[in-house]
Short mmCIF file of all heavy atoms in Angstrom, two decimals:
data_model
loop_
_atom_site.label_atom_id
_atom_site.label_comp_id
_atom_site.label_asym_id
_atom_site.label_seq_id
_atom_site.Cartn_x
_atom_site.Cartn_y
_atom_site.Cartn_z
N LYS S 1 -19.94 -21.12 12.15
CA LYS S 1 -21.32 -20.57 11.74
C LYS S 1 -21.29 -20.07 10.24
O LYS S 1 -20.23 -19.70 9.87
CB LYS S 1 -21.73 -19.42 12.71
CG LYS S 1 -21.94 -19.88 14.10
CD LYS S 1 -22.36 -18.73 15.01
CE LYS S 1 -22.64 -19.30 16.42
NZ LYS S 1 -23.09 -18.18 17.28
N SER S 2 -22.40 -20.08 9.76
CA SER S 2 -22.53 -19.60 8.31
C SER S 2 -23.50 -18.53 8.18
O SER S 2 -23.77 -17.96 7.09
CB SER S 2 -22.88 -20.80 7.38
OG SER S 2 -24.13 -21.31 7.72
N GLU S 3 -24.08 -18.09 9.29
CA GLU S 3 -25.00 -16.89 9.27
C GLU S 3 -24.34 -15.68 9.00
O GLU S 3 -23.22 -15.49 9.42
CB GLU S 3 -25.80 -16.84 10.58
CG GLU S 3 -26.73 -18.03 10.82
CD GLU S 3 -25.94 -19.10 11.60
OE1 GLU S 3 -24.92 -18.91 12.18
OE2 GLU S 3 -26.49 -20.28 11.50
N LEU S 4 -24.99 -14.79 8.27
CA LEU S 4 -24.49 -13.47 8.02
C LEU S 4 -24.30 -12.67 9.26
O LEU S 4 -25.26 -12.73 10.01
CB LEU S 4 -25.25 -12.76 6.89
CG LEU S 4 -25.32 -13.48 5.59
CD1 LEU S 4 -26.31 -12.65 4.60
CD2 LEU S 4 -23.83 -13.50 4.94
N LEU S 5 -23.37 -11.91 9.43
CA LEU S 5 -23.13 -11.00 10.51
C LEU S 5 -23.94 -9.70 10.29
O LEU S 5 -23.90 -9.23 9.13
CB LEU S 5 -21.74 -10.68 10.74
CG LEU S 5 -20.80 -11.90 11.15
CD1 LEU S 5 -19.37 -11.45 11.15
CD2 LEU S 5 -21.18 -12.54 12.35
N THR S 6 -24.42 -9.14 11.23
CA THR S 6 -25.17 -7.89 11.09
C THR S 6 -24.30 -6.80 10.46
O THR S 6 -24.77 -6.10 9.60
CB THR S 6 -25.73 -7.35 12.52
OG1 THR S 6 -26.49 -8.35 13.11
CG2 THR S 6 -26.53 -6.14 12.34
N GLU S 7 -23.03 -6.81 10.86
CA GLU S 7 -22.18 -5.74 10.28
C GLU S 7 -21.83 -5.94 8.90
O GLU S 7 -21.23 -5.11 8.23
CB GLU S 7 -20.89 -5.57 11.08
CG GLU S 7 -20.15 -6.85 11.34
CD GLU S 7 -20.51 -7.58 12.54
OE1 GLU S 7 -21.53 -7.54 13.13
OE2 GLU S 7 -19.50 -8.36 13.00
N SER S 8 -22.22 -7.11 8.34
CA SER S 8 -21.92 -7.43 6.89
C SER S 8 -23.08 -6.86 5.92
O SER S 8 -22.75 -6.62 4.78
CB SER S 8 -21.87 -8.98 6.70
OG SER S 8 -20.87 -9.54 7.41
N PHE S 9 -24.12 -6.56 6.43
CA PHE S 9 -25.26 -6.10 5.55
C PHE S 9 -24.95 -4.79 4.86
O PHE S 9 -25.38 -4.58 3.75
CB PHE S 9 -26.60 -5.97 6.38
CG PHE S 9 -27.09 -7.33 6.79
CD1 PHE S 9 -27.34 -7.60 8.20
CD2 PHE S 9 -27.33 -8.36 5.83
CE1 PHE S 9 -27.89 -8.81 8.54
CE2 PHE S 9 -27.77 -9.57 6.31
CZ PHE S 9 -28.03 -9.82 7.61
N THR S 10 -24.29 -3.86 5.51
CA THR S 10 -24.01 -2.62 4.84
C THR S 10 -23.17 -2.93 3.58
O THR S 10 -23.45 -2.32 2.42
CB THR S 10 -23.22 -1.54 5.75
OG1 THR S 10 -23.99 -1.43 6.84
CG2 THR S 10 -22.79 -0.34 5.03
N GLU S 11 -22.14 -3.71 3.69
CA GLU S 11 -21.24 -4.01 2.48
C GLU S 11 -21.98 -4.93 1.51
O GLU S 11 -21.95 -4.64 0.25
CB GLU S 11 -20.07 -4.69 2.93
CG GLU S 11 -19.08 -3.85 3.67
CD GLU S 11 -18.64 -2.49 3.03
OE1 GLU S 11 -18.34 -2.62 1.84
OE2 GLU S 11 -18.71 -1.46 3.57
N LEU S 12 -22.87 -5.82 1.96
CA LEU S 12 -23.57 -6.63 0.99
C LEU S 12 -24.59 -5.81 0.22
O LEU S 12 -24.78 -5.96 -0.92
CB LEU S 12 -24.28 -7.72 1.76
CG LEU S 12 -23.35 -8.80 2.28
CD1 LEU S 12 -24.17 -9.81 3.14
CD2 LEU S 12 -22.78 -9.59 1.05
N ASN S 13 -25.22 -4.81 0.88
CA ASN S 13 -26.22 -3.95 0.25
C ASN S 13 -25.50 -3.06 -0.88
O ASN S 13 -26.03 -2.77 -1.91
CB ASN S 13 -26.93 -3.13 1.22
CG ASN S 13 -27.94 -3.94 1.91
OD1 ASN S 13 -28.47 -4.94 1.48
ND2 ASN S 13 -28.25 -3.49 3.21
N LYS S 14 -24.21 -2.63 -0.57
CA LYS S 14 -23.42 -1.89 -1.64
C LYS S 14 -23.20 -2.91 -2.81
O LYS S 14 -23.23 -2.44 -3.95
CB LYS S 14 -22.13 -1.49 -1.07
CG LYS S 14 -22.26 -0.31 0.02
CD LYS S 14 -20.85 0.06 0.56
CE LYS S 14 -20.93 1.02 1.69
NZ LYS S 14 -19.64 1.37 2.26
N LEU S 15 -22.94 -4.11 -2.57
CA LEU S 15 -22.70 -5.11 -3.62
C LEU S 15 -23.97 -5.29 -4.44
O LEU S 15 -24.00 -5.30 -5.66
CB LEU S 15 -22.24 -6.41 -3.04
CG LEU S 15 -21.96 -7.57 -4.02
CD1 LEU S 15 -20.99 -7.19 -5.05
CD2 LEU S 15 -21.52 -8.82 -3.25
N VAL S 16 -25.10 -5.38 -3.77
CA VAL S 16 -26.38 -5.48 -4.42
C VAL S 16 -26.62 -4.15 -5.37
O VAL S 16 -26.99 -4.36 -6.55
CB VAL S 16 -27.59 -5.54 -3.41
CG1 VAL S 16 -28.93 -5.35 -4.10
CG2 VAL S 16 -27.55 -6.96 -2.59
N GLN S 17 -26.30 -3.01 -4.79
CA GLN S 17 -26.50 -1.87 -5.56
C GLN S 17 -25.58 -1.91 -6.87
O GLN S 17 -25.98 -1.59 -8.02
CB GLN S 17 -26.17 -0.61 -4.81
CG GLN S 17 -26.37 0.64 -5.58
CD GLN S 17 -26.10 1.92 -4.64
OE1 GLN S 17 -25.98 1.82 -3.42
NE2 GLN S 17 -26.10 2.98 -5.28
N PHE S 18 -24.33 -2.38 -6.67
CA PHE S 18 -23.36 -2.42 -7.73
C PHE S 18 -23.90 -3.47 -8.88
O PHE S 18 -23.91 -3.05 -9.99
CB PHE S 18 -21.96 -2.81 -7.23
CG PHE S 18 -20.98 -3.10 -8.32
CD1 PHE S 18 -20.32 -2.05 -8.95
CD2 PHE S 18 -20.84 -4.28 -8.82
CE1 PHE S 18 -19.40 -2.25 -10.02
CE2 PHE S 18 -19.91 -4.66 -9.80
CZ PHE S 18 -19.25 -3.56 -10.44
N LEU S 19 -24.37 -4.54 -8.35
CA LEU S 19 -24.82 -5.55 -9.23
C LEU S 19 -26.05 -5.06 -10.05
O LEU S 19 -26.29 -5.36 -11.23
CB LEU S 19 -24.99 -6.84 -8.60
CG LEU S 19 -23.78 -7.62 -8.12
CD1 LEU S 19 -24.21 -8.74 -7.18
CD2 LEU S 19 -22.99 -8.07 -9.34
N ASN S 20 -26.93 -4.25 -9.38
CA ASN S 20 -28.19 -3.76 -9.99
C ASN S 20 -27.79 -2.75 -11.04
O ASN S 20 -28.39 -2.59 -12.03
CB ASN S 20 -29.07 -3.12 -9.03
CG ASN S 20 -29.95 -4.25 -8.30
OD1 ASN S 20 -30.23 -5.26 -8.89
ND2 ASN S 20 -30.29 -3.95 -7.02
N GLU S 21 -26.68 -2.00 -10.90
CA GLU S 21 -26.28 -0.95 -11.80
C GLU S 21 -25.43 -1.54 -12.96
O GLU S 21 -25.18 -0.88 -13.88
CB GLU S 21 -25.40 0.06 -11.06
CG GLU S 21 -26.20 0.92 -10.07
CD GLU S 21 -25.41 1.82 -9.13
OE1 GLU S 21 -24.18 1.71 -9.27
OE2 GLU S 21 -26.03 2.53 -8.38
N ASN S 22 -24.97 -2.84 -12.66
CA ASN S 22 -24.13 -3.41 -13.81
C ASN S 22 -24.67 -4.78 -14.06
O ASN S 22 -24.25 -5.84 -13.61
CB ASN S 22 -22.69 -3.65 -13.17
CG ASN S 22 -22.10 -2.28 -12.95
OD1 ASN S 22 -21.48 -1.61 -13.90
ND2 ASN S 22 -22.18 -1.75 -11.76
N ILE S 23 -25.74 -4.75 -14.93
CA ILE S 23 -26.60 -6.01 -15.14
C ILE S 23 -25.94 -7.03 -15.89
O ILE S 23 -26.39 -8.24 -15.89
CB ILE S 23 -27.87 -5.57 -15.74
CG1 ILE S 23 -27.66 -4.94 -17.10
CG2 ILE S 23 -28.75 -4.70 -14.83
CD1 ILE S 23 -28.90 -4.74 -17.98
N ASN S 24 -24.76 -6.77 -16.50
CA ASN S 24 -24.03 -7.82 -17.20
C ASN S 24 -22.90 -8.48 -16.44
O ASN S 24 -22.12 -9.28 -16.88
CB ASN S 24 -23.51 -7.31 -18.53
CG ASN S 24 -24.61 -7.07 -19.46
OD1 ASN S 24 -25.59 -7.74 -19.54
ND2 ASN S 24 -24.48 -5.93 -20.41
N THR S 25 -22.85 -8.02 -15.24
CA THR S 25 -21.78 -8.57 -14.25
C THR S 25 -22.24 -9.71 -13.55
O THR S 25 -23.36 -9.81 -13.03
CB THR S 25 -21.40 -7.43 -13.24
OG1 THR S 25 -20.88 -6.20 -14.01
CG2 THR S 25 -20.35 -7.86 -12.27
N THR S 26 -21.31 -10.78 -13.43
CA THR S 26 -21.53 -11.93 -12.57
C THR S 26 -20.56 -11.83 -11.47
O THR S 26 -19.69 -11.17 -11.39
CB THR S 26 -21.42 -13.12 -13.39
OG1 THR S 26 -20.09 -13.27 -13.88
CG2 THR S 26 -22.38 -13.30 -14.51
N ILE S 27 -20.82 -12.76 -10.50
CA ILE S 27 -20.02 -12.68 -9.29
C ILE S 27 -19.70 -14.18 -8.83
O ILE S 27 -20.50 -15.08 -8.98
CB ILE S 27 -20.75 -11.97 -8.14
CG1 ILE S 27 -19.78 -11.77 -6.92
CG2 ILE S 27 -22.05 -12.55 -7.67
CD1 ILE S 27 -20.24 -10.81 -5.89
N LEU S 28 -18.48 -14.32 -8.41
CA LEU S 28 -18.11 -15.64 -7.87
C LEU S 28 -17.78 -15.41 -6.34
O LEU S 28 -16.95 -14.58 -5.97
CB LEU S 28 -16.88 -16.24 -8.44
CG LEU S 28 -16.15 -17.39 -7.85
CD1 LEU S 28 -17.10 -18.50 -7.85
CD2 LEU S 28 -14.88 -17.76 -8.53
N ILE S 29 -18.48 -16.07 -5.52
CA ILE S 29 -18.34 -15.94 -4.02
C ILE S 29 -17.59 -17.06 -3.46
O ILE S 29 -17.88 -18.26 -3.84
CB ILE S 29 -19.72 -15.81 -3.33
CG1 ILE S 29 -20.51 -14.74 -4.01
CG2 ILE S 29 -19.66 -15.73 -1.90
CD1 ILE S 29 -22.07 -14.80 -3.71
N SER S 30 -16.51 -16.90 -2.79
CA SER S 30 -15.70 -17.96 -2.18
C SER S 30 -15.78 -17.90 -0.63
O SER S 30 -15.48 -16.85 -0.15
CB SER S 30 -14.34 -17.95 -2.75
OG SER S 30 -13.66 -16.68 -2.40
N GLY S 31 -16.10 -19.08 -0.05
CA GLY S 31 -16.08 -19.19 1.46
C GLY S 31 -14.86 -19.81 1.82
O GLY S 31 -14.22 -20.71 1.17
N HIS S 32 -14.33 -19.36 3.00
CA HIS S 32 -13.02 -19.88 3.62
C HIS S 32 -13.25 -20.15 5.07
O HIS S 32 -14.06 -19.48 5.77
CB HIS S 32 -11.94 -18.96 3.31
CG HIS S 32 -11.80 -18.53 1.94
ND1 HIS S 32 -10.99 -19.23 1.04
CD2 HIS S 32 -12.34 -17.58 1.16
CE1 HIS S 32 -11.04 -18.70 -0.14
NE2 HIS S 32 -11.87 -17.71 -0.09
N THR S 33 -12.36 -21.02 5.68
CA THR S 33 -12.35 -21.22 7.03
C THR S 33 -10.92 -21.27 7.54
O THR S 33 -9.99 -21.17 6.76
CB THR S 33 -12.91 -22.68 7.45
OG1 THR S 33 -11.99 -23.66 6.89
CG2 THR S 33 -14.33 -22.82 6.84
N ASP S 34 -10.71 -21.30 8.91
CA ASP S 34 -9.44 -21.48 9.52
C ASP S 34 -9.15 -22.98 9.42
O ASP S 34 -9.89 -23.70 8.87
CB ASP S 34 -9.29 -20.93 10.87
CG ASP S 34 -10.20 -21.55 11.86
OD1 ASP S 34 -10.61 -22.80 11.71
OD2 ASP S 34 -10.67 -20.91 12.83
N ASN S 35 -8.04 -23.39 9.95
CA ASN S 35 -7.69 -24.81 9.89
C ASN S 35 -8.00 -25.71 11.07
O ASN S 35 -7.63 -26.80 11.18
CB ASN S 35 -6.15 -24.97 9.58
CG ASN S 35 -5.31 -24.51 10.87
OD1 ASN S 35 -5.81 -23.96 11.85
ND2 ASN S 35 -4.08 -24.88 10.80
N THR S 36 -8.99 -25.20 11.90
CA THR S 36 -9.50 -25.91 13.03
C THR S 36 -10.45 -26.96 12.56
O THR S 36 -11.42 -26.67 11.77
CB THR S 36 -10.18 -24.94 14.08
OG1 THR S 36 -9.27 -23.96 14.43
CG2 THR S 36 -10.64 -25.73 15.32
N GLY S 37 -10.37 -28.18 13.11
CA GLY S 37 -11.34 -29.20 12.65
C GLY S 37 -10.78 -30.04 11.47
O GLY S 37 -9.74 -29.85 10.87
N LYS S 38 -11.78 -30.87 11.03
CA LYS S 38 -11.50 -31.79 9.90
C LYS S 38 -11.77 -31.06 8.52
O LYS S 38 -12.69 -30.26 8.50
CB LYS S 38 -12.34 -32.93 9.97
CG LYS S 38 -12.01 -33.87 11.15
CD LYS S 38 -12.96 -35.14 11.25
CE LYS S 38 -12.50 -35.86 12.43
NZ LYS S 38 -13.24 -37.14 12.42
N GLU S 39 -10.95 -31.25 7.60
CA GLU S 39 -11.05 -30.55 6.37
C GLU S 39 -12.37 -30.70 5.71
O GLU S 39 -12.95 -29.84 5.03
CB GLU S 39 -9.91 -30.94 5.37
CG GLU S 39 -9.91 -30.06 4.13
CD GLU S 39 -9.83 -28.57 4.33
OE1 GLU S 39 -9.31 -28.06 5.32
OE2 GLU S 39 -10.48 -27.87 3.48
N ALA S 40 -13.01 -31.95 5.71
CA ALA S 40 -14.32 -32.16 5.15
C ALA S 40 -15.36 -31.33 5.72
O ALA S 40 -16.18 -30.72 5.03
CB ALA S 40 -14.71 -33.63 5.30
N GLN S 41 -15.22 -31.07 7.04
CA GLN S 41 -16.19 -30.28 7.74
C GLN S 41 -15.90 -28.75 7.38
O GLN S 41 -16.90 -28.07 7.18
CB GLN S 41 -16.16 -30.38 9.23
CG GLN S 41 -16.59 -31.73 9.74
CD GLN S 41 -16.23 -31.97 11.21
OE1 GLN S 41 -15.18 -31.66 11.70
NE2 GLN S 41 -17.17 -32.66 11.94
#
């Protein structure tokens, strides 16, 4: 699944606040998985 977890919103909202307070800041978001399944998937 790629949907955000309810428990993630608190931290994400902290990140939003940080980014709003630091307008010259950019962010690189990296997604990861375990090794179950095919690598392309």
Side-chain angles (χ1 to χ4, degrees):
K1 296 182 179 180
S2 61
E3 294 86 21
L4 297 174
L5 301 175
T6 302
E7 55 266 28
S8 299
F9 292 123
T10 300
E11 294 303 315
L12 288 173
N13 288 334
K14 289 178 186 177
L15 179 59
V16 168
Q17 181 178 351
F18 174 84
L19 290 169
N20 280 330
E21 292 170 356
N22 297 276
I23 59 171
N24 292 322
T25 298
T26 60
I27 187 167
L28 171 61
I29 303 163
S30 58
H32 305 272
T33 65
D34 60 32
N35 67 349
T36 303
K38 296 181 179 180
E39 187 53 32
Q41 292 169 320

